[in-house]
């Protein structure tokens, strides 16, 4: 004769279910705020990388087209544009080809544009743009653009006089 099992052995008890839900809730309250901060940092890092890639695109376009290419950063409007400067006046004129026109995504702003170290007086204008020569050289030594997210994190992108690009955290 087989023994008889007393009680229901299928499923979970109410106490087991409540403990599981409580543990998941505690873990969620710890993890979710960290994930929100992580998202903003990743968005900032991604935009800084895109900007650095666009500066490299400008350099390669200058070499390929044998023309000056300008990266013009407008920190007031939070955007930048890259164009081929055929008449070498560092401003966008009618008939000049725009390679890129990029706006910062929401949550990202341009915090500073200019030189990465003190400039001699008088400083050569303009401060908000970099011109890349047909040989790939930059017109500005240590050109710097800083990008900031809503959390206050900063990423800077520096372009050397030889046209190389470096991204740094602050």
């Amino acid at each position: 004769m087989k023994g008889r099992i007393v009680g229901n052995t299928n499923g979970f008890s109410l106490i087991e279910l409540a403990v599981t839900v409580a543990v998941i809730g505690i873990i969620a309250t710890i993890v979710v705020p960290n994930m929100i901060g992580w998202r903003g940092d990743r968005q900032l890092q991604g935009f800084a990388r895109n900007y650095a890639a666009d500066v490299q695109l400008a350099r390669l376009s200058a070499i390929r087209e044998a023309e000056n290419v300008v990266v013009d950063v407008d920190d007031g409007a939070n955007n930048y544009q890259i164009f081929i400067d055929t008449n070498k006046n560092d401003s966008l004129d009618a008939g000049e080809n725009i390679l890129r026109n990029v706006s910062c995504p929401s949550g990202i702003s341009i915090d500073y544009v200019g030189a990465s170290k003190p400039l001699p007086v008088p400083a050569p204008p303009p401060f908000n743009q970099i011109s890349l020569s047909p040989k790939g050289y930059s017109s500005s030594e240590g050109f710097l653009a800083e990008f900031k997210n809503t959390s206050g994190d900063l990423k800077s992108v520096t372009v050397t006089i030889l046209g190389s690009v470096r991204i740094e955290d602050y």
Side-chain angles (χ1 to χ4, degrees), residues 142-166:
F143 180 81
L144 177 70
E146 289 181 348
F147 304 101
K148 182 162 87 173
N149 64 9
T150 54
S151 302
D153 300 324
L154 283 173
K155 295 271 186 202
S156 71
V157 180
T158 306
V159 182
T160 67
I161 200 156
L162 296 175
S164 65
V165 181
R166 183 177 64 244

Side-chain angles (χ1 to χ4, degrees), residues 75-142:
D75 54 349
N78 281 328
N79 65 19
Y80 64 90
Q81 91 184 157
I82 301 170
F83 60 91
I84 297 175
D85 188 23
T86 53
N87 60 3
K88 298 175 179 54
N89 68 350
D90 292 335
S91 64
L92 181 61
D93 300 313
E96 292 181 335
N97 189 16
I98 297 175
L99 301 175
R100 289 256 199 276
N101 194 0
V102 180
S103 295
C104 292
S106 64
I108 305 289
S109 62
I110 300 171
D111 193 52
Y112 173 78
V113 181
S116 61
K117 50 185 157 180
L119 294 173
V121 178
F127 300 110
N128 66 328
Q129 64 182 212
I130 181 171
S131 179
L132 297 152
S133 74
K135 292 186 177 185
Y137 299 138
S138 164
S139 61
S140 304
E141 182 177 352

